[in-house]
Amino acid sequence: MNQRPDNRGPMMYWPFNEGAGASALEYVSQVRDEIQYVFKQAKFTEPCDLLWRKGVVGSGLSFDGYSTYISHSFQEEDPAGTSQYRSAISIGVWVAPRSYEVGDDGKLSAIVNRHNKEQRQGYLLGMYRHGSWSFQVGLEGGEWKEIWSPDGHELPKNEWSYVNAVFDGNQGEMKLFLNGRKIASTGLPRGSRLTEATGTDLLIGKNNHSSQLAKVFSLHMFSGIMEELKIYPRALSEDEVAASYQLALDIACGGVHPTLTYDQIKLDRTPLLADRHRPQYHVSPPAHWMNEPHAPIYFDGQYHLFYQHNPHGPFFHQIHWGHWVSEDLVHWRDLPVALAPEKDELAPDGIWSGSATYDADGLPVLFFTAGNDSASPNQSVALARSTYSRDKDPDLVHWVKHPEPLIVQKKGIGLFGDFRDPFVWKDDDGWYALVGSGIEGEGGAALAFSSQDMLNWTYKGPFFKADIEKFPYLGPIWELPVFLPLGCDKQGVNKHLLLVSPVGEGADVEVFYWIGQLDKQNLTFIPDQEEPQLIDVGDFHFTGPSGMVDPKTGRKIVFTIAQGDRTSELEYQSGWAHNGGLPISVYLREDGRLGIEPIQELQSLRGEKRLSLRDKSLSEVNVLLQDVQGDMLEIRLEMEPGSAKQFGIKIRRTPDGEEETLLYYDLNQSMLLVDRSKTTLHPGEKCGGTQGGNLELHGENLKLHMYLDRSMVEAYANGLKSLTTRVYPSRRDALGIQIWGDGSLTVKSMQVWDLQSIW
């Protein structure tokens, strides 16, 4: 040890009362330990300080769950100190967990540890699945002893807990204390001695032997706030633990247990606002990983949207439902996680995608895919109800799960074991559900169910399936079915839209759709044409659909996920992965085709109008565009080709053209395309090549409505197709715009606006 410990006081003590800076003082040795944090040397945003938060008696240090930890080294061992704490050691700390890990490989998310379990050495205090926690030590003789929190004494998320763990080798006992009260004890042989984990650093917030994910991410790390970490070389008595807890309450909390608001503990999006690749007017989590947004619903003047979320880091793991709320579908507020895996028999292993609808009283309900790996199959359809009242829960923050799954797949119903993503709607006759699955030997399918009370469901058969031999790209399994009414066509026939996402061997992971009719009596779908169509002709950047009928306007709105197309290394450095696409309105056109448009509310983002012109040649336009630059822009453009057979617009262009992205139309092939071969010089970015698909203009001019939002590019062409892609230029001056064509052309009109961040 660096200093011979006091007989009564702690041998190590981190108050975490700095409130700022990149190091934490170990008070006894007066050594300042560096705090590891990904944004101290940021790659794509401004370098920033650690996230210090309000603590119980002072400040506390916020751990982001994947990059924040402290390593305390020992230059040489102190025989006296070692012998003291080998016979007894006590740890006390205030913790406020933000989320729980899944517990890969049976390992704890470490609060503090200096251990080697394989060698049966050292000590470890940490958390496990669903908030359970444990203190573990290695004893002389090669024994590893563990004491666990009993049921009902888990560490609650988003709340302060005072945790104490005691190893008393002389008396032969290990004890756990929660908020000053003993909750567990276990016996040891009297005279037990702890075995030192020599050559091992003490780590705070990170497991000494964490597992790796994607060779980049260390699992078993603490997510939340920590304060007042003390390690004693003796066994604290029950009275001392109780007195220490009460002293903190008396000093700082008026004698009552401290409270913690969501704003004090939530993930902070501030470090990402300057990220030159992170979209700023697209919906996104505060930080870390998301997948598809889903379950949109309008209630009591607000839109709610949920999303697949890992609050522990920017990687796919331990799925929760994140939650946003908005008054206009554009400006969103972050709300606490709505649904999370819990210690129950319903969904202990994941809260997967689903949808929202209304119960018989008009209150919102969530249908979700419940993950339970101990069940067969491990996916079922479950329900959660809001605790809404205007006074108590106006933002629908709190949800209570129905204790039993509502729909459990039986053999003979779809492809057994693949049964997920319920899409539920209600009409005057009851509730209806589509569940994504497949049929053995036939391909993907949406399965249909009906209910009169929302709780008891009857299987009606396949709602729709396609011929996989004719369309092998539709794959063996369908996910995320979405079914929306489109209204009547010119002949007065009522039409609907069905969206699906194929997955599995041979599947093209895109969003396919059919327009057709609902046979309500048999609960089946009859498409107008057999071949599926694409809404978006980009490459997997427009996926994960969900949809709703907007009660305010009657619009049918579709939400999607925009995948990031980056390596795990870059996602680690960035601190985020993926964001939502812009909401789009879908409708039935006069010609019977599906129309798509970005929602009109996006106009509220407009700032300065940078350009407005009509009837200019290519060269004339490009002179005017020399002073128009940006990475957060809206562009409206109509082009008449003249002699050009390929024509379009270059965006995110450097002045010398070394980096640029070309979005263009090929008149001969009737294709909308994006060429990313010069998008970036960064050797680690994956974006490149050409993407695109069919777009029949039937003699119309090309009309593009484009949105640039840092790495996001969305182009809506003639109200018929979109092309969504990603761009990650390496140069900061890749901000220019240029019109391009292989012949003469006329720009009939062009307008450019700066757009503002929603955060």
Side-chain angles (χ1 to χ4, degrees):
M1 297 296 170
N2 294 319
Q3 181 174 320
R4 188 183 182 94
D6 181 271
N7 285 334
R8 304 301 300 171
M11 64 180 182
M12 288 180 280
Y13 172 30
W14 289 267
F16 295 128
N17 63 2
E18 285 81 0
S23 63
L25 177 67
E26 195 288 291
Y27 189 79
V28 176
S29 65
Q30 290 293 295
V31 168
R32 283 208 162 269
D33 294 315
E34 181 183 2
I35 306 171
Q36 303 300 318
Y37 179 50
V38 67
F39 293 132
K40 286 168 60 178
Q41 294 86 33
K43 298 290 185 181
F44 304 106
T45 188
E46 298 298 327
C48 60
D49 206 345
L50 276 296
L51 301 177
W52 297 89
R53 302 290 178 86
K54 181 180 182 299
V56 177
V57 297
S59 66
L61 178 61
S62 178
F63 293 73
D64 65 5
Y66 88 100
S67 81
T68 313
Y69 70 95
I70 295 171
S71 177
H72 182 79
S73 299
F74 300 89
Q75 299 302 319
E76 59 182 73
E77 304 300 333
D78 180 344
T82 300
S83 63
Q84 280 203 29
Y85 89 80
R86 285 182 61 188
S87 62
I89 188 171
S90 301
I91 301 173
V93 62
W94 283 94
V95 294
R98 185 182 297 114
S99 56
Y100 311 138
E101 280 197 317
V102 70
D104 297 77
D105 303 318
K107 297 178 182 178
L108 299 181
S109 300
I111 296 171
V112 60
N113 66 137
R114 190 189 183 201
H115 89 287
N116 185 328
K117 185 175 180 180
E118 187 175 317
Q119 299 295 323
R120 307 293 194 266
Q121 296 173 345
Y123 54 89
L124 164 65
L125 173 65
M127 296 169 52
Y128 195 57
R129 289 167 59 90
H130 310 130
S132 61
W133 54 289
S134 177
F135 182 46
Q136 305 179 2
V137 298
L139 303 181
E140 287 182 344
E143 189 174 5
W144 184 259
K145 294 293 291 185
E146 302 179 359
I147 182 170
W148 286 81
S149 60
D151 288 347
H153 295 279
E154 294 80 13
L155 299 181
K157 286 183 288 190
N158 305 322
E159 296 181 22
W160 282 111
S161 295
Y162 185 53
V163 172
N164 287 84
V166 175
F167 162 73
D168 188 344
N170 294 328
Q171 297 298 316
E173 191 174 19
M174 291 173 67
K175 293 177 281 190
L176 297 181
F177 297 82
L178 181 60
N179 297 329
R181 294 178 54 247
K182 185 172 72 172
I183 61 167
S185 64
T186 188
L188 306 166
R190 283 181 177 267
S192 293
R193 293 292 180 267
L194 186 145
T195 302
E196 180 70 79
T198 55
T200 301
D201 287 347
L202 179 146
L203 299 184
I204 301 170
K206 180 179 181 179
N207 192 301
N208 283 124
H209 300 277
S210 59
S211 301
Q212 296 289 300
L213 184 71
K215 300 180 181 179
V216 173
F217 296 99
S218 294
L219 303 178
H220 319 300
M221 296 183 68
F222 178 76
S223 175
I225 310 175
M226 203 180 299
E227 185 192 11
E228 291 286 307
L229 171 60
K230 298 178 180 179
I231 304 178
Y232 295 84
R234 62 186 183 86
L236 294 179
S237 69
E238 294 182 22
D239 288 343
E240 286 178 305
V241 171
S244 180
Y245 171 67
Q246 191 60 50
L247 180 61
L249 302 192
D250 293 341
I251 290 174
C253 309
V256 299
H257 190 82
T259 59
L260 189 63
T261 67
Y262 170 66
D263 284 341
Q264 290 171 336
I265 195 171
K266 69 179 181 180
L267 290 169
D268 189 351
R269 69 170 62 246
T270 304
L272 302 179
L273 295 179
D275 186 309
R276 58 195 181 94
H277 296 310
R278 193 178 205 218
Q280 298 300 315
Y281 59 81
H282 285 72
V283 67
S284 62
H288 298 354
W289 185 91
M290 72 165 285
N291 208 21
E292 59 263 11
H294 49 227
I297 194 166
Y298 181 78
F299 182 73
D300 197 23
Q302 297 190 116
Y303 296 93
H304 295 263
L305 186 62
F306 303 84
Y307 59 98
Q308 297 279 271
H309 181 42
N310 175 19
H312 233 80
F315 53 93
F316 176 80
H317 218 51
Q318 188 67 336
I319 303 304
H320 297 58
W321 273 34
H323 186 186
W324 301 294
V325 65
S326 172
E327 295 181 0
D328 63 0
L329 290 170
V330 176
H331 300 84
W332 299 88
R333 286 189 290 120
D334 296 313
L335 293 179
V337 164
L339 300 175
E342 294 183 88
K343 193 175 184 178
D344 57 28
E345 296 183 1
L346 180 68
D349 299 302
I351 308 291
W352 303 92
S353 293
S355 61
T357 188
Y358 305 95
D359 67 12
D361 297 320
L363 296 176
V365 289
L366 303 180
F367 285 82
F368 62 95
T369 306
N372 183 355
D373 292 340
S374 65
S376 181
N378 67 349
Q379 302 166 356
S380 63
V381 175
L383 169 74
R385 296 178 183 270
S386 167
T387 63
Y388 168 80
S389 73
R390 286 183 183 273
D391 297 329
K392 188 171 73 169
D393 192 10
D395 281 341
L396 307 183
V397 170
H398 302 288
W399 298 84
V400 178
K401 297 171 189 167
H402 189 74
E404 302 291 335
L406 302 186
I407 307 176
V408 177
Q409 186 184 26
K410 298 177 181 177
K411 290 188 176 180
I413 298 179
L415 194 62
F416 193 73
D418 286 294
F419 188 78
R420 50 190 174 269
D421 310 334
F423 181 84
V424 182
W425 73 96
K426 177 183 181 294
D427 67 15
D428 293 340
D429 297 321
W431 290 264
Y432 304 91
L434 302 183
V435 181
S437 186
I439 297 175
E440 188 70 42
E442 298 186 44
L447 308 179
F449 298 81
S450 66
S451 174
Q452 292 298 304
D453 62 3
M454 203 179 66
L455 299 179
N456 298 283
W457 292 83
T458 301
Y459 177 54
K460 306 297 287 187
F463 183 73
F464 182 64
K465 58 183 179 179
D467 189 337
I468 196 172
E469 291 188 3
K470 282 188 178 180
F471 311 110
Y473 53 84
L474 288 177
I477 303 163
W478 289 352
E479 294 183 334
L480 301 160
V482 176
F483 188 65
L484 297 172
L486 291 177
C488 292
D489 64 11
K490 289 191 297 185
Q491 287 73 40
V493 179
N494 199 14
K495 295 299 180 69
H496 286 75
L497 173 69
L498 176 65
L499 305 171
V500 300
S501 294
V503 294
E505 185 176 358
D508 187 0
V509 185
E510 306 281 0
V511 179
F512 290 92
Y513 75 87
W514 295 265
I515 295 173
Q517 299 177 56
L518 169 65
D519 179 349
K520 189 172 177 181
Q521 182 175 355
N522 296 305
L523 204 54
T524 59
F525 176 71
I526 305 166
D528 291 349
Q529 60 184 49
E530 189 178 12
E531 184 176 3
Q533 304 294 312
L534 288 171
I535 288 179
D536 191 273
V537 296
D539 188 8
F540 71 83
H541 302 293
F542 178 100
T543 54
S546 59
M548 69 177 293
V549 178
D550 182 0
K552 286 176 63 177
T553 63
R555 292 175 302 178
K556 291 73 184 177
I557 300 175
V558 172
F559 302 84
T560 55
I561 174 68
Q563 301 283 358
D565 194 19
R566 304 185 90 180
T567 64
S568 295
E569 289 84 355
L570 290 173
E571 288 173 339
Y572 181 99
Q573 294 166 0
S574 300
W576 63 277
H578 318 318
N579 53 267
L582 293 176
I584 61 171
S585 174
V586 295
Y587 56 95
L588 191 64
R589 290 167 46 116
E590 284 289 316
D591 60 10
R593 292 190 287 177
L594 184 69
I596 63 165
E597 295 284 357
I599 60 171
Q600 291 184 346
E601 288 90 337
L602 293 167
Q603 294 179 15
S604 66
L605 297 172
R606 290 174 180 172
E608 179 185 355
K609 194 170 191 177
R610 304 290 300 281
L611 182 74
S612 181
L613 60 83
R614 299 186 67 84
D615 296 318
K616 300 290 184 182
S617 68
L618 184 150
S619 59
E620 289 174 322
V621 171
N622 284 335
V623 170
L624 296 172
L625 283 173
Q626 288 178 2
D627 295 327
V628 179
Q629 296 190 336
D631 59 3
M632 292 173 60
L633 300 175
E634 179 187 357
I635 303 169
R636 300 203 72 153
L637 172 65
E638 181 179 350
M639 305 175 73
E640 187 175 81
S643 66
K645 300 302 180 184
Q646 293 183 335
F647 51 94
I649 181 171
K650 293 179 178 180
I651 54 173
R652 301 303 307 273
R653 185 178 190 273
T654 58
D656 58 6
E658 187 179 34
E659 288 186 337
E660 63 185 19
T661 296
L662 171 62
L663 193 139
Y664 67 102
Y665 187 70
D666 188 309
L667 200 60
N668 291 330
Q669 298 185 75
S670 297
M671 293 186 73
L672 182 66
L673 300 157
V674 61
D675 181 352
R676 300 190 300 171
S677 59
K678 294 175 66 178
T679 289
T680 185
L681 298 172
H682 191 294
E685 299 286 6
K686 299 195 306 182
C687 59
T690 300
Q691 305 171 359
N694 182 259
L695 171 63
E696 297 287 348
L697 293 183
H698 300 308
E700 291 183 22
N701 289 337
L702 177 67
K703 300 174 183 176
L704 293 177
H705 191 176
M706 300 179 63
Y707 289 87
L708 312 186
D709 192 3
R710 298 196 175 161
S711 64
M712 280 291 295
V713 177
E714 286 157 288
Y716 300 88
N718 293 66
L720 286 167
K721 297 287 183 185
S722 64
L723 193 157
T724 304
T725 193
R726 285 282 191 177
V727 297
Y728 300 95
S730 67
R731 288 175 49 175
R732 293 182 180 272
D733 61 348
L735 300 170
I737 301 171
Q738 189 179 83
I739 301 299
W740 172 86
D742 64 359
S744 65
L745 59 86
T746 301
V747 175
K748 299 298 292 180
S749 65
M750 186 174 186
Q751 297 171 300
V752 182
W753 292 268
D754 286 327
L755 295 188
Q756 301 167 340
S757 172
I758 64 174
W759 308 110

